[in-house]
Amino acid sequence: MKLLEHEGKDIFTKYQIPTAKRFGIVKIGDDPKSIELEGKEWVIKAQVLAGGRGKAGGVKLAKSKEEAYEIIEKMLGMEIKTHQTQGQALKVKEILIEEASAIEREIYLSIVLDRAHCSAMLIASAEGGMSIEELAKDHPEKIIKMPVDLGEGLQEFQVREFFFKLGFDKKLYKEFSALAKNLCRLFKNIDANLVEINPLVITRDGTLLAIDSKIVTDNNALFRHKELQALKDHESSPIEKEAKEIGINYIGLDGNIGCMVNGAGLAMATLDTVKLAGGNAANFLDVGGGATVDQITKAFQIILKDEKVKAVLVNIFGGIMKCDDIANGIVEATKKINLNVPLIVRLEGTRVKEGKQILLDSGIKLNQADSLWEAAQKAVSKIN
Ligand code: GDP
Ligand code: MN
């Protein structure tokens, strides 16, 4: 799960990682003037799940209250495209207002799950800020890494080595050490995959401040984090949320072939095969082991909610469920819904002959296939 900047900063505060003073959060429909502003300069930040907001107009400084309110009004509802949004525009539904910080220097600091090293990895660069991706490409030597044993926590000798490689002023050592250790603790405690501060700044007064936050947590560990469960899911589409509520594993994709499969492994193989046949799947969908009529009906309904879908490919292996039961399920489900796109069905497994006969006798307009490859090719040809 990805957290918004302000949600991440709330967690930072719990772990004594310093952030700028917050004046409030404004959502669409709220009156910006309900936020009381104090001080001289404010930073107004679009809360969307993507970095690169600075360059896309999603981070603005205001030097007067009037200017601040004006920026908030303009930014609310605005659409943001950054290098991290894959061509999509994200609507700004929330805005964070903080006291602007006087920045002396911007640093990059993060901790990430490094699968190649089988450990957490603390990463930093003395040249942080907006274009860390370019820095990693052009000057990888400027990026410093340190594997961290999360059980032991970050050790002082590691901090020392890390800190001096970064070449910071010794005066910052104590503060940096505490912050880096807190960051590692946070990473472990919330079961994160990534916690990034870009930039972590050295202010003109010579202290450290987390100006931005990016947190990605492990969904498989969500069950043990009530505080994270309480956060709104900003990431899933409305169809994905609905599927989750009725117990169907569904992930929306960019293509136009809707896929209904039982078992996650078979579902992934189906997506690969569709691709190989020259098509693109509209979704990943696992109806589960016991694909009942009810589940199959619901799965069809979910798949067809996606307007991109131009054909539906059903690929079900009758293991626990027998193929004749599944075929009856498909027949009943298609009677209940208004299926107005081509349907391709590939059944395999126990009582497959009987299953295929049931589909044949049903009179429903569908295309059967004997193999996954054939099914994928048929689905692609229906679309072209
Ligand atoms: P991102 O572009 O989505 O990563 O958004 P950030 O929160 O990292 O902000 C982008 C950039 O805006 C930072 O790298 C800073 O240079 C600048 N910025 C953000 N907050 C402040 C602030 O309080 N004061 C000043 N002077 N600049 C800021
Ligand atoms: Mn940033």
Side-chain angles (χ1 to χ4, degrees):
M1 184 162 91
K2 286 184 188 163
L3 306 192
L4 289 172
E5 176 189 1
H6 73 83
E7 295 166 338
K9 282 179 168 173
D10 286 339
I11 299 178
F12 283 0
T13 304
K14 278 188 203 148
Y15 285 83
Q16 289 93 44
I17 294 171
T19 55
K21 181 175 171 182
R22 180 182 300 180
F23 289 103
I25 290 159
V26 183
K27 297 186 183 177
I28 287 183
D30 292 351
D31 177 12
K33 297 221 162 92
S34 63
I35 306 284
E36 273 188 50
L37 299 173
E38 289 160 27
K40 284 191 189 139
E41 201 175 345
W42 303 273
V43 59
I44 294 148
K45 313 185 77 176
Q47 300 297 288
V48 290
L49 290 177
R53 295 165 301 163
K55 286 181 180 166
V59 177
K60 296 253 189 234
L61 292 170
K63 285 197 160 64
S64 72
K65 291 183 187 175
E66 294 70 42
E67 192 189 1
Y69 292 130
E70 213 171 281
I71 293 172
I72 298 171
E73 297 260 14
K74 271 200 199 134
M75 204 183 273
L76 264 181
M78 175 180 134
E79 299 207 317
I80 287 197
K81 264 191 192 178
T82 81
H83 63 279
Q84 290 187 7
T85 60
Q86 281 109 20
Q88 257 190 308
L90 301 175
K91 189 168 176 172
V92 180
K93 295 178 186 158
E94 292 176 49
I95 288 177
L96 169 67
I97 300 115
E98 287 182 342
E99 183 170 55
S101 313
I103 299 175
E104 181 71 39
R105 184 165 180 191
E106 302 198 5
I107 305 162
Y108 175 91
L109 182 66
S110 73
I111 175 162
V112 55
L113 184 72
D114 187 326
R115 291 190 163 81
H117 278 85
C118 303
S119 78
M121 191 70 78
L122 191 65
I123 302 173
S125 172
E127 290 173 37
M130 292 204 257
S131 41
I132 191 76
E133 290 91 349
E134 280 162 37
L135 186 72
K137 220 169 43 195
D138 302 337
H139 293 282
E141 75 285 355
K142 290 189 178 169
I143 291 176
I144 303 187
K145 295 185 178 181
M146 172 75 70
V148 180
D149 181 327
L150 292 175
E152 298 289 327
L154 184 64
Q155 301 296 301
E156 202 63 49
F157 75 89
Q158 291 185 298
V159 182
R160 225 171 283 136
E161 184 183 330
F162 201 70
F163 184 82
F164 290 111
K165 272 189 189 163
L166 283 165
F168 293 153
D169 189 334
K170 285 192 188 110
K171 276 188 278 188
L172 279 174
Y173 182 78
K174 257 195 171 163
E175 211 182 325
F176 181 83
S177 172
L179 193 149
K181 284 179 192 164
N182 286 334
L183 189 68
C184 293
R185 229 164 26 89
L186 182 166
F187 180 86
K188 178 188 170 207
N189 287 357
I190 68 164
D191 286 303
N193 288 335
L194 167 75
V195 182
E196 182 185 82
I197 311 177
N198 187 30
L200 172 68
V201 305
I202 304 174
T203 62
R204 295 239 174 88
D205 328 330
T207 59
L208 294 172
L209 202 60
I211 288 282
D212 195 4
S213 99
K214 179 171 179 182
I215 295 184
V216 184
T217 65
D218 183 346
N219 281 344
N220 293 317
L222 203 56
F223 71 94
R224 55 185 182 199
H225 298 288
K226 279 226 168 64
E227 75 291 357
L228 295 175
Q229 287 165 25
L231 295 178
K232 203 164 160 245
D233 176 1
H234 306 283
E235 216 174 349
S236 308
S237 69
I239 306 178
E240 286 169 344
K241 282 180 193 163
E242 201 179 323
K244 196 174 176 187
E245 273 163 26
I246 56 177
I248 288 172
N249 296 309
Y250 172 96
I251 295 165
L253 300 168
D254 296 334
N256 52 12
I257 299 177
C259 295
M260 185 191 314
V261 190
N262 64 339
L266 191 59
M268 286 194 274
T270 306
L271 303 194
D272 284 348
T273 310
V274 165
K275 189 95 190 172
L276 208 60
N280 278 303
N283 64 275
F284 166 99
L285 187 151
D286 169 13
V287 274
T292 58
V293 176
D294 192 40
Q295 281 300 93
I296 293 173
T297 309
K298 282 177 180 163
F300 269 121
Q301 283 163 341
I302 289 284
I303 290 172
L304 294 170
K305 282 203 170 154
D306 178 354
E307 286 169 6
K308 300 195 304 300
V309 170
K310 295 283 177 295
V312 176
L313 193 169
V314 176
N315 181 25
I316 292 187
F317 179 80
I320 300 166
M321 284 272 293
K322 293 175 201 72
C323 288
D324 48 353
D325 290 335
I326 295 165
N328 280 322
I330 293 171
V331 172
E332 273 193 58
T334 46
K335 275 182 194 159
K336 281 189 198 165
I337 56 165
N338 174 25
L339 189 69
N340 49 8
V341 295
L343 174 64
I344 299 95
V345 180
R346 181 250 179 166
L347 291 180
E348 191 53 270
T350 315
R351 296 175 70 86
V352 65
K353 253 195 204 157
E354 290 82 349
K356 283 183 172 176
Q357 197 56 48
I358 290 168
L359 290 180
L360 212 58
D361 296 342
S362 71
I364 293 170
K365 221 179 130 200
L366 54 79
N367 303 270
Q368 296 207 52
D370 292 325
S371 69
L372 174 52
W373 179 233
E374 188 192 332
Q377 285 179 308
K378 279 190 172 164
V380 173
S381 74
K382 287 286 164 198
I383 277 170
N384 294 335

